[in-house]
Amino acid sequence: MRITDLLTKDTIVLNLSETTKEAVIDELIRKLDSSGKLVDSRKFKQAILAREAQSTTGIGEGIAIPHAKTSAVRTPAIVFGRSKAGVDYGSLDGQPSHLFFMIAASEGANNAHLQTLSRLSSFLMDSNFRKKLETAATVDEVLKAINQKEVEIVEEEKSASNKGLILAVTACPTGIAHTFMAADALKGNAKDLGYSIKVETNGSAGVENELLASEIKDAVAIIVAADTAVDMDRFDGKHVIEVPVAQAIRNPKELIEKASKQDAPVYRGAAGGQKDSAKKERTGFYKHIMNGVSNMLPFVVGGGILIAISFIFGIQAFEPEHETYHPIAEALMTIGGGNAFGLMIPVLAGFIAMSIANRPGFAPGMVGGLLAASGGAGFLGGLIAGFLAGYVVLGLRKVFSSLPKSLEGIKPVLLYPVFGILITGFVMLFIVNEPVLALNTTMEKWLGNMGTGNLVLLGLILGGMMAIDMGGPINKAAFTFGIAMIDAGNLAPHAAVMAGGMVPPLGIALATTFFKKKFTTAEKEAGKTNYFMGASFITEGAIPFAAADPGRVIPSIIVGSAVAGALTMMFGIGLPAPHGGVFVIPLVNGSPFMYIGAILIGAAITALMLGLWKKDVKE
């Protein structure tokens, strides 16, 4: 689709009559409305002003691009307006705006429309192109300049030279203009400097041009120009420049030059990286679960710790009928347990489904997760709901793919949510919930009836799992199981999980302190940091040591963590908070001192094994 399919003669105003920001917006909207592009001009204006409230669309260089994606738009369109005198639009550079492109995207605008709209945004970075628009005497000259620019860009892309691979990610709140303007500004400047670049855009249509693990591995550096959250863990170990999206529009050359020199800190993520698309079938399951778990964690950690704090007033102090009742305890339990913790399973399911089917999967996933939570299916039910909703929506895409193109716009706003929620809801209510509830009940009874020996074995396994890959899939599996058990009312497994996760960095820190000859100067400095990482339940602090000497470090930390996990079970410790390290130890069920003792014993075992096993180093 060409830009001139959306910008036509009847949506061009060569001489704007208005002189203020809101009045110019009104004049452009009137032009759109008179050309039959809008369903409701008042609602469209509200959407435009809502976008302006987030941040000005006056991007500088005399340009303003007000834009909105809303059901008030009948047909996706662009209206161009020009003011020779200039309008104070509150632009980023403080200069008056002369060229105005108002972008009207319909609620169900497809990818082709959105890409075409964004292409125009990138053209405006060219000063020669802007000059042609400023001096055009007729509507036909405006359209001719745009058509010539499109041809020029296609030819430039064909002859682009390569010098080194730079990757980038761009994202703005609405994902219509700034996302793609930043992408094209970076691509244009990389070409001028002789670098090959690939830019992933997180726009209204979802993630496009997704970066692959092989590309990330080979990249000189990564530029993340975003005003919204993007997936960062995949960039672990790479030089990453993080800036607002506007900076990529205004200073793309500076960012490319910094990236080419690797003038940026090395990013350290919490989880593993992304896989090549060729391997997605094998690794997608873990990726989808981690997407759900990572988005769920803020609710779990925040809500769980508030629940734990409420126990300071008494285990049942939140119950109005109990003799230990305290209103603060009730408030903490309502906020943490009734609300933040209550959203845990719907959020888990929603983001798993979104990882599988992008945005159309989110609503069915959330509803499925809520049905799992309210129906007693718990954490396992939430996992099932997330995968169910995601693959239901993927199935619906195939089913509806044969519909006429004229109905493309109603798929994301009507067909996917209605049928996705309906099918997911029916399956959860009538097929999934009851058997999963029975399974959860059986598991709770089994854990509750376990003898001391069996509990110690469970603690041994969970603690060891936390150290095997230090934040990887096995670590996360144990952590997720611990959270599920908290949700089920059994606090003992997660006590073993957190103890096992604290031991690796603490054990290494102790080893670098008491066995100095076994470590390099750099490792001894890093060991000091590991005291704080271990105390904060950040197992990943052990990774650099394990990478340098896996044969000795990994067995040592596994043994120490397994012992710590077993001891917590032996001492009858329960942990109501899912995170927090030493900061939540005073809130444990059982003796806090015994819990500290279990962690220190495990860390000491790791330190001794390393001290006896590792060889002296010579620097």
Side-chain angles (χ1 to χ4, degrees):
M1 177 177 286
R2 299 179 65 85
I3 289 172
T4 47
D5 291 333
L6 301 175
L7 175 65
T8 55
K9 289 184 178 182
D10 60 346
T11 57
I12 296 177
V13 184
L14 286 181
N15 296 294
L16 290 167
S17 59
E18 302 294 352
T19 57
T20 65
K21 178 176 179 175
E22 187 163 352
V24 165
I25 288 174
D26 286 334
E27 187 173 357
L28 295 173
I29 290 175
R30 286 196 298 271
K31 189 66 173 174
L32 277 174
D33 198 28
S34 66
S35 62
K37 308 298 184 184
L38 301 180
V39 175
D40 185 336
S41 60
R42 185 176 300 178
K43 183 178 177 182
F44 180 70
K45 181 180 178 181
Q46 290 174 350
I48 288 286
L49 295 180
R51 173 61 186 87
E52 293 295 327
Q54 292 179 342
S55 61
T56 180
T57 57
I59 63 172
E61 304 292 344
I63 305 163
I65 310 181
H67 56 274
K69 182 180 178 183
T70 169
S71 58
V73 175
R74 177 179 286 111
T75 306
I78 302 170
V79 59
F80 168 65
R82 186 176 66 186
S83 171
K84 291 186 178 180
V87 176
D88 182 3
Y89 201 85
S91 297
L92 294 172
D93 59 2
Q95 299 300 311
S97 297
H98 297 272
L99 302 177
F100 298 85
F101 284 88
M102 178 173 283
I103 297 173
S106 61
E107 192 74 64
N110 60 30
N111 291 358
H113 282 139
L114 295 173
Q115 290 167 359
T116 305
L117 294 171
S118 66
R119 196 182 313 131
L120 173 63
S121 305
S122 67
F123 289 177
L124 295 169
M125 297 297 98
D126 184 341
S127 59
N128 291 328
F129 176 66
R130 294 198 304 271
K131 189 172 182 180
K132 287 182 180 180
L133 296 181
E134 290 167 355
T135 58
T138 65
V139 168
D140 287 332
E141 287 185 22
V142 171
L143 297 174
K144 181 180 178 182
I146 292 171
N147 282 326
Q148 287 178 340
K149 184 64 178 175
E150 282 196 290
V151 173
E152 177 187 323
I153 290 297
V154 170
E155 292 302 317
E156 286 180 353
E157 288 177 349
K158 288 180 181 178
S159 61
S161 58
N162 297 329
K163 189 176 178 183
L165 180 64
I166 295 173
L167 301 180
V169 180
T170 61
C172 71
T174 54
I176 295 178
H178 287 63
T179 297
F180 300 96
M181 289 173 63
D184 286 319
L186 290 168
K187 285 188 281 188
N189 279 268
K191 181 188 71 66
D192 292 341
L193 295 171
Y195 287 90
S196 176
I197 190 169
K198 178 178 178 180
V199 185
E200 175 188 293
T201 54
N202 287 228
S204 292
V207 175
E208 297 175 18
N209 211 29
E210 187 177 8
L211 305 180
L212 302 179
S214 57
E215 294 165 335
I216 294 171
K217 180 182 178 182
D218 296 336
V220 176
I222 295 102
I223 300 167
V224 177
D227 294 330
T228 58
V230 299
D231 178 12
M232 294 293 293
D233 287 344
R234 54 194 164 148
F235 303 139
D236 183 64
K238 303 297 294 185
H239 293 275
V240 178
I241 301 169
E242 295 184 72
V243 295
V245 70
Q247 192 167 331
I249 297 172
R250 298 182 65 187
N251 303 307
K253 184 177 179 181
E254 177 185 332
L255 293 175
I256 294 294
E257 288 175 340
K258 287 183 68 176
S260 68
K261 298 173 185 175
Q262 295 188 322
D263 182 14
V266 174
Y267 183 82
R268 294 299 176 194
Q274 167 183 328
K275 304 296 180 184
D276 280 346
S277 59
K279 298 181 182 178
K280 278 185 179 177
E281 214 172 283
R282 181 170 62 84
T283 59
F285 183 80
Y286 174 70
K287 173 190 170 185
H288 302 322
I289 287 182
M290 285 302 100
N291 191 58
V293 170
S294 63
N295 283 285
M296 174 192 72
L297 276 182
F299 297 89
V300 177
V301 174
I305 290 178
L306 289 178
I307 292 170
I309 293 172
S310 76
F311 293 154
I312 293 174
F313 298 90
I315 298 299
Q316 293 177 284
F318 61 90
E319 297 180 359
E321 298 81 10
H322 199 268
E323 58 183 9
T324 61
Y325 170 74
H326 196 287
I328 299 298
E330 182 185 17
L332 289 167
M333 182 61 73
T334 300
I335 297 167
N339 292 278
F341 216 59
L343 285 168
M344 175 180 74
I345 293 172
V347 168
L348 171 73
F351 279 97
I352 288 174
M354 188 173 177
S355 177
I356 296 168
N358 218 313
R359 294 182 185 181
F362 186 68
M366 284 285 289
V367 173
L370 185 60
L371 287 169
S374 60
F379 195 87
L380 179 57
L383 290 173
I384 294 171
F387 282 96
L388 170 66
Y391 287 111
V392 161
V393 172
L394 288 184
L396 291 173
R397 282 181 176 172
K398 291 183 179 180
V399 170
F400 295 138
S401 62
S402 59
L403 291 178
K405 287 190 175 181
S406 59
L407 298 178
E408 191 72 26
I410 70 168
K411 290 181 183 178
V413 297
L414 178 62
L415 298 181
Y416 295 150
V418 169
F419 286 97
I421 290 172
L422 177 67
I423 295 170
T424 302
F426 264 91
V427 173
M428 291 302 298
L429 279 175
F430 298 110
I431 299 176
V432 174
N433 275 2
E434 285 194 21
V436 175
L437 172 60
L439 179 62
N440 285 339
T441 303
T442 301
M443 183 181 291
E444 289 173 40
K445 289 180 179 177
W446 175 68
L447 286 171
N449 294 329
M450 278 182 109
T452 301
N454 289 332
L455 284 171
V456 169
L457 178 60
L458 178 63
L460 190 83
I461 294 169
L462 290 174
M465 287 175 69
M466 291 299 291
I468 291 173
D469 55 359
M470 297 154 285
I474 298 173
N475 170 286
K476 287 295 186 291
F479 182 76
T480 302
F481 177 76
I483 292 173
M485 290 302 97
I486 291 177
D487 182 50
N490 191 315
L491 308 182
H494 205 72
V497 165
M498 193 163 85
M502 293 172 69
V503 162
L506 288 176
I508 287 170
L510 288 172
T512 59
T513 300
F514 293 103
F515 301 98
K516 295 182 184 293
K517 293 181 180 181
K518 309 288 184 177
F519 299 92
T520 65
T521 302
E523 287 174 332
K524 283 181 279 191
E525 288 301 312
K528 296 174 184 176
T529 305
N530 267 11
Y531 279 113
F532 299 99
M533 298 186 80
S536 302
F537 185 36
I538 303 174
T539 315
E540 288 83 353
I543 290 176
F545 294 86
D549 189 3
R552 296 180 179 87
V553 172
I554 293 177
S556 299
I557 61 177
I558 290 174
V559 172
S561 293
V563 170
L567 288 174
T568 64
M569 291 291 195
M570 187 181 296
F571 298 155
I573 307 297
L575 181 64
H579 211 287
V582 296
F583 306 104
V584 297
I585 288 178
L587 308 177
V588 300
N589 289 6
S591 170
F593 299 105
M594 297 293 280
Y595 192 38
I596 293 171
I599 295 168
L600 291 179
I601 290 170
I605 289 172
T606 291
L608 285 169
M609 287 183 68
L610 288 172
L612 295 173
W613 204 351
K614 284 179 69 69
K615 297 178 180 179
D616 291 353
V617 298
K618 294 179 181 180
E619 294 190 84

